[in-house]
Amino acid sequence: MRRGRLSPVGYVFVLVAATLWGLLGSFSKLAFQEGITPLEVAFWRAAIGSVLFGAHALVLRQARVAPRDLPAVLGFGVLGISVFYAAYQLAVQTGGAALAAVLLYTAPALVALLAWLLLRERMTPGKLGALALTLLGVAAISLQGGEVRLSAAALLWGLLSAFTYALYYIFGKLYLSRYATATVFLYALPVGALGLFPLVEFHGKSLLAWAAVVFIALLATYGANLAYYAGLRRLEATRAAVVATFEPVVAAAVAFAWWGERFGPLGYAGSALVLLGLLILTLEGRGKRP
């Protein structure tokens, strides 16, 4: 291992990424408050992000994708961008920023389950324990008595966002070793924006609404991804994944301070179980090559 592999700077980059991702839900709520629908927020996130990543890829000459990989990259644009971005925004609208972030982090458990069912990967005791903790955590959140309530719609959109986010793990395992992140998003983001465009009803926007949308695209999407992968170059993947679990903590804290979102005691316990399950799954893969 290279000496710089565990540089403290790597932790700073990943913490910056997790913080920016954690702010995504609260800034989305600000956009909703200013009259923008969840699907329009998702569209502008993809559209503005495509310009930013496109410029990045072109400047660094990272635009080439092998023809045989284009169908997979474009398909990722539909599921990983159109569906994921829309589902996450709808999860924030129906359940709040904190709940959407916690449900999103059930994704690694879904990855383990799908890999066992579809790819015949071994289901270890650690994975089973993590799955059980995740299910218990979601159940606890649904039964809590706080101001944040897990409605059927919030659960549906939250788990759909987690499922489509889980595709990032699988797609990344197959393709991000071949291409830079900017290369993939150069193609995937415009496809994602086009997939959302027919569903969006556009409205006039205030300066505050545009500020919220630009923050989401520029910092919580483009900036967060750049920071995360800069950190990943300096840290082991396992360490980076554990540090990234700071995201739902930030989301819950900001949602509490800004929007008054409060879990009941059972909700906070359930959130802790989801994060504990994520930690177990992350450590389960320690030392294994992706």
Side-chain angles (χ1 to χ4, degrees), residues 15-290:
L15 282 172
V16 168
T19 300
L20 291 172
W21 281 326
L23 293 171
L24 175 59
S26 284
F27 274 85
S28 296
K29 289 192 70 169
L30 176 61
F32 302 159
Q33 183 176 270
E34 290 296 305
I36 307 182
T37 65
L39 291 181
E40 188 178 356
V41 173
F43 168 80
W44 286 115
R45 182 185 182 192
I48 298 172
S50 68
V51 174
L52 296 170
F53 276 108
H56 184 123
L58 292 173
V59 168
L60 296 183
R61 298 182 179 180
Q62 297 174 335
R64 187 178 179 279
V65 169
R68 70 177 183 277
D69 292 333
L70 266 178
V73 173
L74 298 181
F76 176 70
V78 174
L79 293 175
I81 303 299
S82 294
V83 180
F84 171 52
Y85 281 15
Y88 189 75
Q89 294 299 327
L90 290 165
V92 172
Q93 182 193 47
T94 54
L99 180 60
V102 170
L103 290 177
L104 181 66
Y105 270 78
T106 63
L110 293 176
V111 171
L113 182 60
L114 289 172
W116 174 59
L117 292 173
L118 302 177
L119 304 178
R120 299 186 180 278
E121 289 190 6
R122 191 165 63 95
M123 181 61 72
T124 65
K127 290 180 180 179
L128 281 172
L131 286 169
L133 287 172
T134 300
L135 291 174
L136 282 174
V138 173
I141 294 169
S142 69
L143 296 173
Q144 59 144 342
E147 295 179 14
V148 177
R149 299 299 178 90
L150 182 59
S151 65
L155 180 63
L156 170 66
W157 295 120
L159 291 181
L160 180 58
S161 70
F163 174 76
T164 47
Y165 183 54
L167 298 179
Y168 278 64
Y169 291 78
I170 298 170
F171 183 85
K173 184 175 182 180
L174 296 173
Y175 293 98
L176 287 181
S177 59
R178 306 183 203 174
Y179 302 109
T181 305
T183 307
V184 172
F185 283 134
L186 166 65
Y187 295 91
L189 281 167
V191 170
L194 287 173
L196 289 164
F197 182 77
L199 307 176
V200 177
E201 184 178 348
F202 293 95
H203 300 282
K205 283 168 277 299
S206 66
L207 286 177
L208 185 57
W210 277 118
V213 168
V214 170
F215 175 90
I216 289 168
L218 177 61
L219 295 177
T221 303
Y222 177 71
N225 276 286
L226 289 185
Y228 182 74
Y229 286 104
L232 198 58
R233 286 194 293 270
R234 295 167 172 82
L235 294 176
E236 295 172 343
T238 299
R239 294 173 186 266
V242 171
V243 175
T245 61
F246 189 55
E247 177 189 344
V249 177
V250 172
V254 174
F256 174 82
W258 191 352
W259 300 104
E261 293 184 13
R262 293 175 176 83
F263 287 123
L266 198 57
Y268 285 113
S271 300
L273 289 176
V274 170
L275 293 180
L276 179 59
L278 170 62
L279 179 61
I280 291 172
L281 280 172
T282 302
L283 295 176
E284 180 81 12
R286 187 184 179 97
K288 298 179 182 178
R289 296 185 63 182

